[in-house]
Amino acid sequence: MTLATLDGMTSHKSTQTMKPATAAKKLGVYLEATPAEFREGVVTRDELNALQADPPEWLRELRRTGPHPRPVVAAKLGVSIGGLTRGGITEPLTTEQIDALKAESPDWLVRERATQAEVRKEAVRVKEQNR
């Protein structure tokens, strides 16, 4: 390989792409609920930035009503992902289902929220101690 060939190869900036699953995770949406064209292609960094800056209607609707991936469900309920599992929640939930769970306030949810509050309190204590 000559220096000229090497130079020609490095002069082009490659476009960073990611799998749809990675992009969905970064967008905070459940991949299986996204449009087929999103699931079947690749997403460039520029496309991801554009989706975050100016979300299309399908993305706004997914974020509003779900179904939501487990990390989002956990955050909306104020519990850990492990807490969801202990509570028997293994599938994505819609916003309506999450609101219903909050209204029902089953024992497992009350317990897991208390556990999560203790974890947060301990994290603050440790952070203060390390200062």
Side-chain angles (χ1 to χ4, degrees), residues 33-81:
T34 61
E37 59 271 10
F38 180 87
R39 287 191 312 271
E40 295 165 2
V42 294
V43 180
T44 66
R45 173 62 63 186
D46 289 341
E47 289 170 336
L48 179 68
N49 290 341
L51 287 169
Q52 289 172 325
D54 185 22
E57 182 54 35
W58 66 263
L59 181 53
R60 287 194 304 271
E61 184 64 21
L62 263 182
R63 286 176 169 168
R64 189 171 35 253
T65 63
H68 303 287
R70 289 168 41 91
V72 173
V73 173
K76 287 179 177 281
L77 289 173
V79 300
S80 67
I81 293 174

